[in-house]
Amino acid sequence: MLKLTVLASGTGSNFVAIYNAIQNQELDAELKLVLSNNSQSGALAFARSHNINAIHLSSKTVINPEDFEDSMLRCFSDSEIDFIALAGYMKILPAKIVRTYRNRITNIHPALLPHFGGAGMFGIHVHEAVIQSGAKISGATVHLVDEIYDHGAIVMQKTVAVHNDDTPETLAKRVLEIEHEIYPKALQLFAENRVVVENNRMKIIPPIQN
Ligand code: GRF
């Protein structure tokens, strides 16, 4: 059972997919905390309306970066979390958080890493770049978070076709649907302790047969 926090800045549809998977008993996790840098985020509103502990924490409201990472660490330890899922969190996670929760932090990216990731590759820009490249497939990637942007070991990926008449918006919509499908599944692998990281490659251990 994961003691989960979800960090989200925007709409929060991936957070809702995670919430639904827990409700449907497809994901063995307890949602301990939702944290957002954006007081107006859909994720915070959804959490509050569903009685989930929700905190707005922004680096803009603290004076120095150390205060910020310490505040975040305190939120996590107060909520007794042991796993962090980034779901559209638009900020770099402080280094101390990455160190403290190493191999226990995931992110979802709306393309097939290691392509179309890194600086500037967020939101609609990702899908613009995919279409511009002429790639015939795109997809979504769940990966571990390390110190380098969009770089940690890949946990799960799924592809979608890029259609001739796709716009960045139509492609984004199709990719988002598979994000909602794979993120809870990827988290369930951690809940079942079925992941081992070796040399930045993630091995998935087969499920135990009864
Ligand atoms: C998703 O496309 C995700 O891949 C990216 O940010 C977006 C968040 O969407 N990291 P939502 O807030 O979960 O709807």
Side-chain angles (χ1 to χ4, degrees):
M1 169 84 74
L2 301 179
K3 294 177 186 170
L4 188 64
T5 182
V6 176
L7 272 56
S9 303
T11 320
S13 70
N14 276 287
F15 160 57
V16 174
I18 291 167
Y19 172 86
N20 287 337
I22 294 171
Q23 294 300 109
N24 297 337
Q25 298 180 353
E26 291 156 5
L27 171 57
D28 298 322
E30 196 183 338
L31 259 172
K32 293 283 200 177
L33 172 69
V34 173
L35 190 144
S36 182
N37 60 304
N38 173 9
S39 62
Q40 302 304 309
S41 79
L44 282 185
F46 184 93
R48 287 187 178 129
S49 65
H50 289 74
N51 290 321
I52 299 163
N53 185 18
I55 294 179
H56 169 228
L57 182 71
S58 169
S59 57
K60 290 184 189 147
T61 57
V62 292
I63 292 150
N64 70 59
E66 272 183 29
D67 288 346
F68 178 69
E69 56 188 19
D70 286 342
S71 304
M72 193 180 264
L73 272 177
R74 205 164 328 109
C75 288
F76 293 162
S77 57
D78 288 352
S79 307
E80 299 181 329
I81 67 112
D82 63 13
F83 202 96
I84 304 167
L86 306 185
Y89 185 65
M90 301 301 282
K91 297 281 171 188
I92 295 270
L93 209 53
K96 212 189 249 185
I97 307 283
V98 176
R99 276 199 305 276
T100 309
Y101 292 93
R102 191 170 298 284
N103 294 340
R104 305 288 293 167
I105 312 173
T106 51
N107 180 44
I108 184 142
H109 184 77
L112 297 173
L113 292 176
H115 303 289
F116 305 109
M121 283 293 158
F122 60 90
I124 206 70
H125 303 303
V126 178
H127 308 291
E128 284 166 355
V130 170
I131 289 175
Q132 182 66 31
S133 76
K136 298 298 179 210
I137 53 167
S138 188
T141 304
V142 177
H143 64 96
L144 281 179
V145 171
D146 65 11
E147 280 77 1
I148 305 168
Y149 218 71
D150 292 335
H151 172 265
I154 290 169
V155 184
M156 193 177 281
Q157 293 183 303
K158 188 167 178 180
T159 59
V160 298
V162 179
H163 299 159
N164 287 338
D165 58 355
D166 260 331
T167 62
E169 288 77 17
T170 59
L171 181 58
K173 189 165 176 276
R174 209 167 328 110
V175 169
L176 192 61
E177 282 169 19
I178 60 162
E179 292 184 41
H180 298 162
E181 188 187 320
I182 68 169
Y183 209 176
K185 284 187 184 159
L187 293 173
Q188 180 59 14
L189 295 175
F190 290 91
E192 293 175 12
N193 270 321
R194 288 177 49 206
V195 285
V196 180
V197 190
E198 276 173 23
N199 303 323
N200 204 41
R201 270 191 84 185
M202 180 153 283
K203 291 186 183 165
I204 312 290
I205 301 163
I208 298 163
Q209 305 289 344
N210 291 320

